[in-house]
Amino acid sequence: MNCLEVEVAGLKFRNPVLLAAGILGMTAESLIRVAEAGAGGLVTKSIGLKPRKGFPNPTVVQVSCGLINAMGLPNPGIKTFSEEIREVKRKVKVPLIVSVYGYSAEEFAETAKLAVKAGADAVELNVSCPHVEGTGEEIGQNPELLKEVVSKVKRRISKPIFVKLSANVTDIAQLAEIAVKAGADAITAINTVRAMKIDIKTGRPILANRIGGLSGPAIKPIAVRCVYEIYERVRVPIFGCGGILNWRDAIELILAGASAVQIGTAIAVKDLEVFRTIPKGIEKYIRRKGFGSVKEIVGLSHRL
Ligand code: SIN
C-alpha cells in the first residue's frame, strides 16, 4: 500500500509533495521534468488573461535566510500557455494545477475557464502576490473582493478551486473562511512575505521593484502558524507552502494541518532531488512512528 497517497478535493496525489507556483512552472518541458523527478502534483507559474513582461532586472536577490523576488508576474498569457497545459497532460499523469491571477473577478474567471478548457485538473487563485499593483494580495486582503473573485470563478468552472492566501494580513484564518464560503475547495498557505534588501554601498534598494516577497527558511515558522490557524477554522484541505527545505519541514506543516505541501525555493537551493528525498523522508517518519498513512498525521498537533 502507498502510505503517501493523498486525495485533495477529489484529486489523487501519489505523494503529498507538490511543485509550488513560481519556480519551473512556465513551460511544459520544465513541468514534465518536475513530475519525472517525483513530484506528487504540479502548480504552474501564475498565468493571466494577457501576456505580461514582468519587472525589469534585478528581480531576485539572495538574503541570508532565503530569497526575495519581485518578478512581476511575467507570463505568456493563457491562450499561449494552453499549449503547454495540453503538452503536460499528454505526457504525465500527476494532477496539474494552473495558478491564475487577474485584475478583476471577470479576468480571474475567464483565465480559469480557459485553463480548465486546456486540461487543468484544478486552478489555484493567486490572491496573494505581494508586489504587483491591482492584483494579488490587494484582492486577497480585501474580504469583499476575495468573495467576488472566488464566487465568480466557482460559477464559471466545474474543477476544484484552490485559493492561495497571503500571510501579510491580520487574520489569515478569517480570509480562509471567506474563501471557503465563496466556494474554495482547498486553501494554499502561504505566499511570500513582503520584504526588501538595500545595497549599503549605494544606498539603493536592490530589486528594480524595490519591494518583493521573501521565501525560504525564514518564512517557514510563519507558514506553520498560518496553516495551524486555518486548520482550526475551515473544514477544507490545506496545502502548506513556505520555506520547506527538507522532510522535517514538510512533516511540521502536515502536523499543523496541511494535507499536502508545495515546494518552491528549495528547488533553487537543492535541485529537483527534493522531490525524491522529501517523500522518502516522510514515508520513513510515518513508518517509524507506527502510522499507516500520511493522512493520519494531518493536523495531529491539534489533537495532542
Ligand atoms: C512574481 O511573479 O512576481 C511572483 C508571484 C507571486 O509572488 O505570487
Side-chain angles (χ1 to χ4, degrees):
M1 188 193 118
N2 176 5
C3 73
L4 290 180
E5 193 175 291
V6 289
E7 195 176 319
V8 177
L11 298 182
K12 279 202 171 62
F13 298 93
R14 62 187 172 187
N15 71 61
V17 184
L18 281 65
L19 173 71
I23 293 195
L24 294 180
M26 191 97 95
T27 65
E29 196 191 336
S30 57
L31 286 159
I32 292 165
R33 263 199 305 131
V34 174
E36 287 170 349
L42 306 167
V43 186
T44 69
K45 176 107 183 87
S46 294
I47 306 296
L49 196 54
K50 298 192 187 114
R52 187 179 146 93
K53 243 175 103 183
F55 297 141
N57 282 324
T59 54
V60 184
V61 60
Q62 189 165 9
V63 289
S64 57
C65 48
L67 299 176
I68 306 177
N69 91 79
M71 316 272 289
L73 296 168
N75 78 96
I78 189 63
K79 289 209 175 92
T80 302
F81 192 70
S82 289
E83 193 39 55
E84 308 292 323
I85 297 174
R86 284 190 274 271
E87 176 73 0
V88 175
K89 290 305 295 175
R90 275 196 291 271
K91 298 270 171 62
V92 298
K93 295 276 173 285
V94 299
L96 176 67
I97 299 136
V98 176
S99 170
V100 303
Y101 76 91
Y103 293 91
S104 65
E106 179 56 29
E107 270 196 32
F108 267 98
E110 191 55 21
T111 311
K113 190 181 102 182
L114 293 173
V116 168
K117 191 170 166 215
D121 297 299
V123 295
E124 183 177 85
L125 308 183
N126 181 352
V127 290
S128 46
C129 172
H131 47 249
V132 176
E133 222 177 292
T135 185
E137 70 177 24
E138 286 186 27
I139 290 172
Q141 289 169 339
N142 179 324
E144 281 311 309
L145 282 178
L146 177 63
K147 196 168 131 192
E148 190 193 339
V149 166
V150 179
S151 49
K152 188 143 211 170
V153 177
K154 189 75 180 179
R155 287 198 296 275
R156 199 72 62 86
I157 67 168
S158 53
K159 295 282 182 184
I161 300 170
F162 307 156
V163 176
K164 186 167 185 177
L165 293 176
S166 166
N168 304 316
V169 292
T170 310
D171 186 357
I172 192 170
Q174 186 200 10
L175 293 158
E177 230 173 350
I178 290 166
V180 171
K181 277 197 191 127
D185 298 287
I187 298 291
T188 303
I190 56 176
N191 206 321
T192 55
V193 175
R194 274 171 82 78
M196 72 186 293
K197 181 169 172 63
I198 291 172
D199 182 340
I200 62 164
K201 280 194 221 106
T202 63
R204 290 199 198 99
I206 291 185
L207 296 175
N209 188 57
R210 293 173 172 249
I211 289 177
L214 175 65
S215 60
I219 70 163
K220 194 202 69 187
I222 302 173
V224 172
R225 186 268 300 168
C226 289
V227 168
Y228 192 90
E229 288 181 348
I230 294 169
Y231 185 87
E232 301 241 307
R233 292 272 276 279
V234 302
R235 288 284 150 265
V236 301
I238 305 164
F239 291 96
C241 181
I244 297 169
L245 280 191
N246 54 45
W247 65 266
R248 289 180 191 80
D249 299 334
I251 291 285
E252 210 180 326
L253 276 150
I254 295 169
L255 293 172
S259 293
V261 297
Q262 299 182 358
I263 310 283
T265 301
I267 301 167
V269 182
K270 297 189 168 180
D271 211 338
L272 292 180
E273 181 68 7
V274 288
F275 290 109
R276 195 182 57 77
T277 55
I278 297 181
K280 201 165 148 205
I282 297 174
E283 181 171 1
K284 279 192 179 162
Y285 174 89
I286 301 277
R287 297 209 186 284
R288 196 169 62 245
K289 290 279 191 181
F291 293 105
S293 147
V294 68
K295 291 173 227 152
E296 293 170 36
I297 67 162
V298 173
L300 186 64
S301 300
H302 297 261
R303 303 188 285 276
L304 296 175

